[in-house]
């Protein structure tokens, strides 16, 4: 992958594509192992009648039902598979995502309590940015300009500092993997 | 004679008028031999100044008098005066011309060519990256060799990692499990590799204390790796018998399905400690706030600056930036791993110096220094 970054030739890109195809194949087989583990775990809880075992049963039944519908009738629009996906799974995922709004509110309430000078600065920044980005505040010139200045200067400066740190950390991890200095992720010392 | 004259006039109007026109073709630099760059003079050409058509057709052929086929439509307003022809064959010769039909006259430029795209074996636009990697590698390699020689190297204390023992001890005292999550990253992400390295140390510690470690997973490959890493951690601690592979399991690869599953586990199992190390997206706050609501001590680390902000608000300790990648060296104390951390720390100083030089030269309107770091 590292060599491919510097060699733009067709041979280099075909080797890269071949390796990524193999990664996809490995992922597909690992998915089978993962699903096997999932079924084993949930069936184990059902057989032991652990707390909430009925939910484990729902998981296993849903898994096999979706697999059966997908293999037997395909994934065409209007089919049972897509009907369950559109009217069960998609709304449930949207519901979990929508929880984020409430969690943001509770986290903001805790985070913006003005306990000390830094917290007051954070609170003021948040007020300017929230008003500056919201449609009502955007029409008030100072809010929009101050919000933009905060985002483009102090906020961007801090983020770039983090990016540099993350970039260097990534290089360090990659070198440790390439040089074999650290093999914990392989299950070895 | 008269019929011949009429024939000539009709032929003149039916055949295209061929004009000299400055069409320039060049190889696309640093590519795999499938692109050519075509540039032209300002449009319209003198012959079409009166008609001034809005667009022209760039035509391509593999022979100067062969069949030209349209390759691109060019607007007269295109300020770049350049286009890139893609998906070419490096073994073919190509000719190009511009054509335009306006007010009954078919205008074509003289064919330019032949041109053949060149396959490049080294991207010269990335030499600066290569130099950077070699310098980094040399610096990290030097510190690793220092580590091998047994020279002690100081690492600044990281609050989040110092709190790890306290967090594991708290879960042990309360008789509750520890929940570990590596987020949504696959195994090819450095943050996931760093997370697995931390998991090794965490597994070793929890094995000594006999505290259950629950690790619901989002990626089947990460699940397999995590099971091996945890097993090794338990074995190293001398408690291989306490390892339970059922506690590290694949849940789903759906983002919010995973968030719902982990939230559910938190509400049912009530872990005393939540450890979030890896790649997180929008689910970060959902997980961290649920953990906060059950009163768990939470330590998080991610490579995403956006999600880091959410973790800072909702967690007790957060590893910022490269601290996530430094954690394994910090926890294991392996001098070679610590050497890589020292190397990246010194590189940070080098980057800070380069930033200051770039900023000062930028103020003096000297952009050549900044351009040294631009990649193709």
């Amino acid at each position: 992958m590292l060599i491919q970054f510097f060699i733009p030739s067709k041979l280099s890109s075909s080797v890269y594509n071949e390796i990524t195809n193999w990664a996809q194949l490995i992922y597909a087989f690992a998915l089978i192992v993962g699903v096997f583990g999932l079924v084993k775990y949930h069936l184990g809880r059902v057989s032991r009648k652990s707390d909430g075992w009925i939910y484990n049963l729902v998981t296993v039944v849903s898994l096999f039902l979706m697999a059966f519908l997908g293999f037997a009738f395909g994934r065409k629009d209007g089919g049972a598979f897509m009907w369950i996906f559109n009217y069960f799974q998609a709304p449930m995922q949207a519901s979990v995502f929508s929880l984020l709004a409430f969690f943001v509110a509770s986290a903001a309430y805790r985070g913006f309590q003005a306990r000390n000078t830094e917290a007051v600065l954070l609170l003021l920044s948040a007020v300017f940015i929230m008003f500056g980005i919201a449609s009502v505040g955007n029409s008030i010139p100072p809010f929009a300009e101050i919000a933009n200045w905060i985002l483009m200067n102090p906020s961007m400066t801090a983020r770039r500092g983090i990016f540099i740190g993350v970039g260097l950390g990534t290089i360090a991890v990659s070198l440790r993997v390439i040089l074999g200095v650290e093999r914990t992720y392989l299950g070895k010392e | 004679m008269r019929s011949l004259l009429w024939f000539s006039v009709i032929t003149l109007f039916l055949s295209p008028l061929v004009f000299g026109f400055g069409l320039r073709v060049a190889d696309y630099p640093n590519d795999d031999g499938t692109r050519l760059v075509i540039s032209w003079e300002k449009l319209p050409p003198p012959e079409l100044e009166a008609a001034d058509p809005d667009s022209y057709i760039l035509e391509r052929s593999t022979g100067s008098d062969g069949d030209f086929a349209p390759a691109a439509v060019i607007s007269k307003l295109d300020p770049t005066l350049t286009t890139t022809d893609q998906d070419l064959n490096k073994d073919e010769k190509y000719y190009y011309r511009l054509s335009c039909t306006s007010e009954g006259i078919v205008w074509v430029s003289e064919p330019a060519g032949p041109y053949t795209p060149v396959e490049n074996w080294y991207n010269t636009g990335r030499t600066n990256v290569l130099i950077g990697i070699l310098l980094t590698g040399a610096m990290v390699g030097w510190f690793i060799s220092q580590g091998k020689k047994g020279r002690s190297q100081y690492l600044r204390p990281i609050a989040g990692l110092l709190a790890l023992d306290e967090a594991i001890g708290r879960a042990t005292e309360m008789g509750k499990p520890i929940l570990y999550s590596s987020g949504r990253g696959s195994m090819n992400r450095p943050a996931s590799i760093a997370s697995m390295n931390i998991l090794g140390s965490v597994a070793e510690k929890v094995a000594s204390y006999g505290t259950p470690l629950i690790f619901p997973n989002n990626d089947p490959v990460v699940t397999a790796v995590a099971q091996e890493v945890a097993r090794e951690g338990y074995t190293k601690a001398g408690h291989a018998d306490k390892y339970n592979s059922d506690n590290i399991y694949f849940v789903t690869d759906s983002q919010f399905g995973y968030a719902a599953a982990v939230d559910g586990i938190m509400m049912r199992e009530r872990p005393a400690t939540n450890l979030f190390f890896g790649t997180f997206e929008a689910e970060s706050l959902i997980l961290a706030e649920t953990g906060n609501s059950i009163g768990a001590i939470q330590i998080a680390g991610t490579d995403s600056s956006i999600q880091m902000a959410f973790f800072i608000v909702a967690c007790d300790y957060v590893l910022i930036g490269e601290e996530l990648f430094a954690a394994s060296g910090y926890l294991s104390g392996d001098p070679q791993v610590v050497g890589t951390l020292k190397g990246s720390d010194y590189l940070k100083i080098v980057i800070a110096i380069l930033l200051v030089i770039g900023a000062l030269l930028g103020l003096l309107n000297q952009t050549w220094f900044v351009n040294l770091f631009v990649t193709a």
Side-chain angles (χ1 to χ4, degrees):
Chain A
M1 301 283 176
L2 184 66
I3 292 169
Q4 193 271 337
F5 182 75
F6 296 103
I7 301 175
S9 74
K10 272 202 170 141
L11 177 68
S12 158
S13 35
S14 62
V15 168
Y16 175 82
N17 291 335
E18 193 68 24
I19 291 170
T20 47
N21 286 343
W22 272 100
Q24 290 293 320
L25 277 173
I26 292 167
Y27 181 85
F29 280 102
L31 192 61
I32 296 170
V33 176
V35 169
F36 178 77
L38 179 81
V39 173
K40 187 177 153 220
Y41 172 78
H42 287 285
L43 283 182
R45 286 183 66 89
V46 171
S47 64
R48 288 193 302 271
K49 291 274 193 302
S50 307
D51 284 347
W53 64 271
I54 193 77
Y55 301 115
N56 301 99
L57 187 63
V58 168
T59 304
V60 176
V61 170
S62 305
L63 177 75
F64 283 109
L65 179 69
M66 288 300 274
F68 169 74
L69 291 174
F71 283 120
F73 305 108
R75 296 189 300 166
K76 57 185 181 296
D77 282 340
F81 183 93
M82 288 311 292
W83 190 84
I84 294 177
F85 181 83
N86 288 330
Y87 295 105
F88 278 81
Q89 191 170 343
M92 284 193 290
Q93 289 192 355
S95 304
V96 176
F97 186 36
S98 62
L99 288 176
L100 203 53
F102 301 100
F103 286 139
V104 166
S106 63
Y109 175 75
R110 271 203 318 280
F112 298 148
Q113 283 174 2
R115 294 194 198 96
N116 49 37
T117 315
E118 288 89 349
V120 172
L121 285 174
L122 187 68
L123 176 63
L124 285 174
S125 303
V127 168
F128 279 114
I129 288 171
M130 279 192 282
F131 274 101
I133 289 176
S135 54
V136 61
N138 203 17
S139 56
I140 308 167
F143 277 105
E145 284 165 15
I146 292 170
N148 194 42
W149 183 85
I150 291 170
L151 285 174
M152 296 311 295
N153 293 284
S155 171
M156 185 58 81
T157 309
R159 285 184 65 188
R160 281 185 181 159
I162 292 170
F163 289 152
I164 290 170
V166 168
L168 286 172
T170 303
I171 292 173
V173 167
S174 306
L175 282 171
R176 292 206 295 261
V177 169
I178 291 167
L179 300 174
V181 170
E182 183 156 29
R183 293 180 295 170
T184 315
Y185 73 101
L186 294 172
K188 293 175 182 171
E189 278 186 59
Chain B
M1 187 65 189
R2 182 178 289 180
S3 60
L4 186 65
L5 185 69
W6 275 113
F7 176 76
S8 304
V9 170
I10 291 166
T11 310
L12 184 70
F13 275 91
L14 289 178
S15 347
L17 297 169
V18 179
F19 293 95
F21 184 72
L23 205 60
R24 294 177 302 281
V25 183
D27 178 49
Y28 189 93
N30 302 318
D31 76 333
D32 56 351
T34 58
R35 285 174 281 190
L36 286 170
V37 181
I38 299 103
S39 51
W40 53 90
E41 296 169 356
K42 198 170 185 306
L43 294 169
E47 303 82 30
L48 293 175
E49 266 178 7
D52 194 14
D54 290 335
S55 62
Y56 298 78
I57 296 170
L58 176 72
E59 296 179 332
R60 181 210 310 136
S61 168
T62 48
S64 62
D65 50 359
D67 290 333
F68 279 86
V73 177
I74 290 163
S75 165
K76 70 167 183 178
L77 300 173
D78 184 348
T80 63
L81 306 180
T82 300
T83 189
T84 302
D85 195 15
Q86 305 195 34
D87 300 325
L88 303 175
N89 187 340
K90 68 183 167 67
D91 300 320
E92 285 277 10
K93 290 177 177 170
Y94 294 97
Y95 294 81
Y96 288 91
R97 70 182 191 186
L98 273 186
S99 77
C100 174
T101 305
S102 179
E103 296 178 354
I105 300 172
V106 179
W107 176 89
V108 292
S109 70
E110 251 183 84
Y115 296 98
T116 302
V118 178
E119 183 180 18
N120 298 106
W121 285 86
Y122 173 66
N123 190 335
T124 52
R126 291 176 177 172
T127 302
N128 48 9
V129 180
L130 183 63
I131 292 169
I133 288 177
L134 290 175
L135 280 175
T136 309
M139 196 174 273
V140 170
W142 190 79
F143 277 103
I144 289 174
S145 71
Q146 293 298 301
K148 273 184 180 171
K149 286 175 188 167
R151 297 203 179 147
S152 68
Q153 297 177 85
Y154 172 76
L155 273 184
R156 69 183 166 85
I158 299 171
L161 297 175
L162 288 175
L164 202 57
D165 277 331
E166 179 199 329
I168 294 170
R170 181 174 182 260
T172 309
E173 282 172 12
M174 293 173 76
K176 288 184 173 181
I178 292 168
L179 185 124
Y180 194 100
S181 172
S182 64
R184 278 183 45 77
S186 54
M187 254 341 275
N188 57 10
R189 289 193 67 113
S192 300
I193 294 174
S195 180
M196 291 303 109
N197 293 336
I198 298 170
L199 176 69
S201 300
V202 171
E204 203 178 330
K205 287 180 200 296
V206 297
S208 318
Y209 295 128
T211 313
L213 177 69
I214 303 171
F215 187 177
N217 252 292
N218 181 254
D219 184 298
V221 179
V222 175
T223 309
V225 174
Q227 286 176 339
E228 280 307 305
V229 169
R231 191 198 310 274
E232 179 64 25
Y234 275 77
T235 307
K236 267 173 81 178
H239 298 285
D241 53 310
K242 287 183 187 168
Y243 169 70
N244 182 3
S245 65
D246 285 349
N247 281 349
I248 300 173
Y249 52 94
F250 171 69
V251 178
T252 171
D253 62 354
S254 150
Q255 181 181 14
F256 294 107
Y258 177 71
V262 177
D263 275 5
I265 292 163
M266 281 189 213
M267 297 310 290
R268 288 191 299 275
E269 306 287 343
R270 299 266 163 182
T273 299
N274 289 339
L275 304 173
F276 304 116
F277 296 119
T279 300
F280 288 86
E281 292 164 14
E283 73 282 358
S284 65
L285 191 64
I286 297 175
L287 303 181
E289 273 296 287
T290 308
N292 191 287
S293 71
I294 60 167
I297 184 167
Q298 303 194 103
I299 305 175
T302 181
D303 55 351
S304 161
S305 62
I306 297 169
Q307 307 310 324
M308 212 176 281
F310 291 128
F311 278 141
I312 286 170
V313 176
C315 295
D316 300 282
Y317 298 95
V318 178
L319 305 182
I320 295 173
E322 79 282 9
E323 289 177 354
L324 170 68
F325 303 101
S328 63
Y330 196 93
L331 293 170
S332 68
D334 181 344
Q336 292 189 67
V337 181
V338 172
T340 63
L341 307 182
K342 294 301 289 181
S344 57
D345 273 355
Y346 278 96
L347 274 167
K348 223 186 292 178
I349 296 171
V350 173
I351 288 174
I353 293 168
L354 292 176
L355 282 172
V356 172
I357 294 171
L360 289 174
L361 288 173
L363 288 172
L364 298 170
N365 209 19
Q366 298 290 314
T367 53
W368 60 268
F369 185 77
V370 175
N371 289 338
L372 290 176
F373 300 90
V374 175
T375 56

